[in-house]
Amino acid sequence: MTAFRNEQDLFNLKKTVLVVEDNDINREILKSILDERYIVLEATNGKEALDIVKNNAEFISLILLDIQMPVLDGYGFLDEYNKHEDYKKIPVIVTTSEGDEEEHALEKGASDFVTKPYKPNVILKRVEALIRLKESVGAILETRLDHKTGLINREFFHYVSDNVLKKADVKLTYILCIIQDFTYMNTTYGEDDCDKLLKVMGSIFQKYGNNALAMARYGGDNLAFVINSEVDYKAIIEDIEKELHELSPIPNVSLKHIVYENVDKSLKTNNIMNKLFTTYHSNNAKSEGSIIFFDKTIIEKENYRHLLVEYMDDSIKNEDFKIYIQPKHDCKTDELVGAEALVRWIHPELGFISPGDFIPTFEETGLITKLDEFIVKKTCEFLAKCKKLGLKEIPISVNLSRRDLAVFADPKLLTKAVKHFGFNKEQLHFEITESLAGNSADVLAKAKIIRDEGFKIEIDDFGSGYSCLGMISDIPMDYLKLDITFARRLEAQKDVVKHVIALAHELGAKVFAEGVENEEQKNIYRDLGCDAIQGYFYSKPLPEDEFITYLKNHK
Amino acid sequence: MEIKKFYEEIGGNYEEALSRLMNDALIERFVLKFKETQKLDGLKAAIEAHDYEKAFFEAHTLKGVSLNLAFKELGTAAVALTELMRGDLAKTTNPEEVNAAYKKVEALYLDVISKIN
């Protein structure tokens, strides 16, 4: 099979002829005449031909054009062709029949004509002569080669991949090779050294790429290559890395290779490459040394993430997001002392969506603020409703993410909102995770502002990460919530829990425990001095109306 | 299917087909494709409806394919039909004359199709 890697390959390159003909038999006869000497692209009418030319003008050497065609005929094609300078560089031969008006086509810019029935020798000679007349080697290299690496460029890579490689009867493996920290190297070592690096990469690729079907400079900091899936790509990668280590003008250059084995040939090359980049940026991909493996599930996960982002706005509007409220009880008296508002998303198409899926996604994209605003609003409305119904007035906590703090740090707005809804300020608590509070002075400052305004702060998930006891004295807090992991190993961690509770009390905070599922856990927490408990032992999170009943039953 | 014999039976030019398509296997592939894809319905309907512009288009296609496959007799009949309807002639042409030319094409076409197996 022909390979597309470097200048040498381009000199031996088969030229491309686009055959535009609606009749299957006529088109296939032309293809069979041309196939041995040319890469043949096919279009069944003028419109399809224009689409192909639009994307590949610089790679097409000649067009064989039928006149009588449906949708857009040969004359219509030539009208549009004449409007584009880069199309007009491609010579057109019109295929006519005896008695047709080939003069008209020649007037419209066609260079020559051939008549049906086709004479193979005549067609081949005319095609060859016209191509030779119109095309220079310089122009071929200019449009197909990347001069920094000496490999083919991205546009030509897409072209040969879609029109030649994927049509061949072999299984293909696509590999994207990304130079790590290239931007950093550009600023530190300068453009000259980086250009040298690219040149070295290009020559190493060519040296070890004997088996490659195509090799290209794909983007600023990355190269791509395609090989027959039967070839051992790991050996090639190993050779490339070893040699790069020796020849690189910049020390310690490292590469990542993202590999898509046995590609789905129905995919456009553009799409294949996007999947490789998505795999590179995903946290879920499997890897082995510098090699990262594409697999379909990664893309499904990423697509699901995109879907969640896309659906969010509508779901806020349609109130597909609901608050579910989980009670907190004093573990000595069993009295109901508070609750936490948790978000649930029940989408009409996707069904129940796990918070574990959408919360990290919204945190990454910044959408979490919108969602949290919605939750705060729904919680305020619920507190107002409880007051109006004359129910027990308990505090409810809502979760805040790092992104929210900028928005919520204007406490005047919060006060205004509370006044508007008509409940007590102390009833609205904000939960901030320990890891968030512990890692940023900025977060601490903003939490302090909120607390100074009269709202209570609860530190969430304490003990789930790398807790630092020295830090908790710096956090402005009213409540410390012990993470569910303590409840799971309570017997073994009794001593630690006891001292954490004592420390929190010393600092003036009350202690809640999360994830309490049975009486035994409850009793241990109670005996260790814990103030209140949240968990399935008392109740799972309840929808608003059920929680109202719960409030009525727990006066 | 014996390609050379088939060409003799339908009044085609086997040598010409071979010069264009290189070997019997390829000729056979295209001949079978002709039976499968080259239908007469469109041409027939256009002629019956006196839509000679459309009929010209259909006949023109049949002519091109027949000539390329070196179905000489059918091709010649298709040329004759096409020329009755070319350009402005489509407006002034005599329906009886066209019908007669069409009948010739139809008979030859059905003959060719019946011999492809």
Side-chain angles (χ1 to χ4, degrees):
Chain A
M1 193 167 149
T2 330
F4 307 91
R5 293 161 304 198
N6 48 27
E7 196 170 318
Q8 195 54 45
D9 290 341
L10 291 178
F11 280 122
N12 302 325
L13 180 71
K14 279 184 179 179
K15 307 281 165 61
T16 295
V17 174
L18 169 62
V19 173
V20 193
E21 159 74 60
D22 60 318
N23 185 274
D24 290 350
I25 296 174
N26 289 338
R27 191 176 64 253
E28 283 179 35
I29 291 177
L30 279 175
K31 186 171 155 65
S32 73
I33 292 170
L34 297 161
D35 234 359
E36 209 173 300
R37 296 194 206 172
Y38 300 95
I39 297 167
V40 181
L41 308 185
E42 297 172 73
T44 64
N45 62 55
K47 190 171 170 298
E48 269 183 37
L50 283 172
D51 283 343
I52 293 174
V53 173
K54 186 174 145 203
N55 294 318
N56 305 299
E58 65 264 51
F59 307 131
I60 297 172
S61 298
L62 185 131
I63 299 169
L64 272 167
L65 180 70
D66 185 29
I67 292 299
Q68 303 268 1
M69 287 183 294
V71 187
L72 183 69
D73 67 10
Y75 298 134
F77 173 85
L78 286 170
D79 286 339
E80 197 56 35
Y81 163 93
N82 280 318
K83 290 181 194 159
H84 299 266
E85 284 310 313
D86 49 335
Y87 298 2
K88 283 202 296 192
K89 287 179 194 149
I90 312 168
V92 173
I93 296 179
V94 177
T95 61
T96 62
S97 295
E98 201 78 26
D100 288 348
E101 296 167 359
E102 57 270 346
E103 294 91 348
H104 190 46
L106 294 175
E107 278 163 20
K108 277 185 179 285
S111 302
D112 203 347
F113 64 92
V114 293
T115 52
K116 293 176 192 125
Y118 302 138
K119 294 170 194 70
N121 283 338
V122 173
I123 290 180
L124 287 172
K125 285 220 169 76
R126 291 202 180 160
V127 166
E128 201 191 318
L130 260 178
I131 290 177
R132 205 181 316 128
L133 194 71
K134 295 256 182 169
E135 209 164 75
S136 73
V137 174
I140 291 176
L141 297 183
E142 190 57 42
T143 52
R144 290 158 174 79
L145 210 58
D146 170 65
H147 294 285
K148 289 202 170 145
T149 58
L151 303 173
I152 67 168
N153 63 26
R154 176 198 189 105
E155 290 74 21
F156 191 55
F157 177 76
H158 278 185
Y159 173 78
V160 294
S161 162
D162 281 333
N163 296 301
V164 185
L165 302 182
K166 286 196 302 175
K167 288 180 182 166
D169 191 23
V170 286
K171 288 187 171 163
L172 301 173
T173 292
Y174 280 60
I175 299 170
L176 171 67
C177 169
I178 302 180
I179 305 169
Q180 302 297 292
D181 302 318
F182 194 69
T183 323
Y184 164 78
M185 290 190 275
N186 234 316
T187 46
T188 314
Y189 294 93
E191 212 181 316
D192 284 354
D193 275 357
C194 283
D195 282 355
K196 270 184 214 151
L197 171 63
L198 286 171
K199 199 171 166 205
V200 167
M201 289 277 292
S203 54
I204 295 173
F205 261 60
Q206 291 180 56
K207 180 170 169 190
Y208 293 106
N210 292 331
N211 287 320
L213 300 169
M215 288 189 145
R217 165 100 181 269
Y218 196 73
D221 65 352
N222 55 77
L223 312 180
F225 67 104
V226 181
I227 51 169
N228 185 325
S229 295
E230 281 164 16
V231 176
D232 177 11
Y233 65 81
K234 285 184 186 168
I236 300 179
I237 287 175
E238 211 172 285
D239 286 338
I240 288 174
E241 292 199 327
K242 209 183 278 170
E243 185 119 346
L244 178 65
H245 189 70
E246 281 167 29
L247 298 181
S248 172
I250 297 171
N252 298 322
V253 171
S254 69
L255 307 174
K256 291 273 186 214
H257 313 271
I258 305 94
V259 178
Y260 183 172
E261 289 182 72
N262 301 327
V263 293
D264 173 354
K265 288 187 181 176
S266 66
L267 299 172
K268 295 286 272 181
T269 303
N270 199 11
N271 194 347
I272 294 172
M273 299 308 289
N274 279 342
K275 285 185 188 325
L276 289 173
F277 278 107
T278 306
T279 305
Y280 176 61
H281 290 294
S282 164
N283 300 320
N284 302 314
K286 284 199 193 95
S287 63
E288 190 185 300
S290 62
I291 300 174
I292 302 172
F293 302 97
F294 161 84
D295 89 77
K296 266 204 315 231
T297 57
I298 294 169
I299 305 300
E300 280 160 16
K301 272 186 202 150
E302 297 299 325
N303 287 345
Y304 187 64
R305 276 165 40 92
H306 286 298
L307 213 56
L308 298 184
V309 169
E310 193 185 316
Y311 285 168
M312 184 206 176
D313 273 349
D314 278 346
S315 272
I316 286 202
K317 220 181 285 161
N318 303 331
E319 308 216 344
D320 299 332
F321 290 103
K322 311 267 184 225
I323 55 168
Y324 273 54
I325 303 159
Q326 188 172 37
K328 298 167 183 168
H329 285 264
D330 185 305
C331 49
K332 292 187 189 75
T333 64
D334 281 336
E335 192 196 346
L336 174 64
V337 290
E340 178 178 1
L342 296 155
V343 60
R344 294 288 180 265
W345 188 2
I346 301 146
H347 190 270
E349 274 171 48
L350 301 177
F352 179 85
I353 304 167
S354 164
D357 283 334
F358 68 82
I359 291 192
T361 302
F362 291 168
E363 276 179 342
E364 279 164 39
T365 51
L367 288 170
I368 192 73
T369 301
K370 230 184 212 177
L371 179 64
D372 284 346
E373 277 176 2
F374 178 79
I375 301 303
V376 170
K377 184 170 155 257
K378 292 311 269 184
T379 305
C380 288
E381 283 171 6
F382 183 73
L383 283 167
K385 187 173 173 186
C386 290
K387 189 178 170 108
K388 208 170 155 193
L389 291 172
L391 299 168
K392 185 178 165 96
E393 290 176 24
I394 57 159
I396 299 183
S397 56
V398 292
N399 292 282
L400 284 192
S401 102
R402 170 196 297 275
R403 301 249 191 184
D404 296 339
L405 286 161
V407 181
F408 289 104
D410 185 354
K412 298 278 175 289
L413 282 178
L414 283 174
T415 304
K416 225 168 136 184
V418 169
K419 251 188 207 149
H420 168 76
F421 285 106
F423 55 84
N424 290 324
K425 246 184 210 180
E426 297 77 21
Q427 277 185 270
L428 190 59
H429 291 193
F430 291 104
E431 295 195 16
I432 300 168
T433 62
E434 182 208 2
S435 56
L436 184 59
N439 287 330
S440 157
D442 188 40
V443 170
L444 287 185
K446 285 182 175 141
K448 189 170 180 304
I449 295 174
I450 293 174
R451 188 160 178 260
D452 288 348
E453 185 71 14
F455 297 94
K456 302 286 185 208
I457 298 287
E458 301 185 13
I459 298 303
D460 200 8
D461 297 342
F462 184 83
S464 64
Y466 298 96
S467 297
C468 171
L469 287 180
M471 175 211 77
I472 64 171
S473 62
D474 296 332
I475 301 177
M477 64 171 174
D478 301 284
Y479 300 88
L480 188 69
K481 290 186 81 178
L482 299 176
D483 191 64
I484 190 167
T485 50
F486 283 119
R488 287 184 186 142
R489 299 180 57 232
L490 196 50
E491 194 60 48
Q493 300 201 334
K494 261 183 184 171
D495 288 344
V496 177
V497 173
K498 189 175 155 190
H499 286 102
V500 169
I501 291 172
L503 180 62
H505 284 161
E506 189 78 15
L507 293 165
K510 287 190 168 181
V511 179
F512 291 166
E514 285 181 295
V516 175
E517 289 175 355
N518 55 51
E519 180 137 32
E520 194 193 341
Q521 289 171 328
K522 184 202 109 170
N523 289 339
I524 297 175
Y525 268 130
R526 182 195 59 204
D527 295 344
L528 292 174
C530 187
D531 298 289
I533 272 169
Q534 181 181 344
Y536 276 56
F537 172 65
Y538 284 110
S539 170
K540 63 182 180 183
L542 301 169
E544 289 185 34
D545 49 346
E546 284 179 39
F547 191 75
I548 284 176
T549 312
Y550 194 88
L551 272 177
K552 285 177 185 163
N553 294 337
H554 292 80
K555 287 171 189 162
Chain B
M1 185 173 173
E2 242 189 274
I3 292 298
K4 197 171 172 190
K5 200 165 150 249
F6 162 76
Y7 269 85
E8 277 164 16
E9 282 173 13
I10 64 154
N13 185 336
Y14 170 73
E15 280 71 26
E16 188 191 320
L18 192 63
S19 77
R20 186 141 48 244
L21 301 169
M22 319 308 273
N23 60 57
D24 279 10
L26 203 54
I27 299 177
E28 180 168 352
R29 197 165 77 82
F30 283 118
V31 168
L32 290 172
K33 186 143 193 163
F34 179 85
K35 182 171 181 173
E36 189 191 317
T37 61
Q38 200 61 52
K39 304 292 180 198
L40 218 51
D41 316 7
L43 176 59
K44 192 176 181 186
I47 296 225
E48 279 169 4
H50 296 204
D51 180 352
Y52 295 129
E53 266 179 53
K54 175 136 196 296
F56 171 78
F57 183 83
E58 296 280 345
H60 190 269
T61 303
L62 179 64
K63 163 188 137 180
V65 176
S66 304
L67 291 176
N68 265 337
L69 293 177
F71 297 167
K72 282 292 166 193
E73 284 189 21
L74 177 56
T76 310
V79 169
L81 176 61
T82 309
E83 293 313 315
L84 290 175
M85 303 179 293
R86 184 184 287 283
D88 287 344
L89 289 179
K91 291 172 197 147
T92 57
T93 192
N94 174 357
E96 275 170 31
E97 214 178 327
V98 172
N99 263 340
Y102 169 72
K103 286 291 169 205
K104 231 181 238 177
V105 168
E106 189 181 54
L108 287 164
Y109 170 84
L110 293 172
D111 182 52
V112 168
I113 294 292
S114 74
K115 286 175 176 133
I116 300 172
N117 50 57

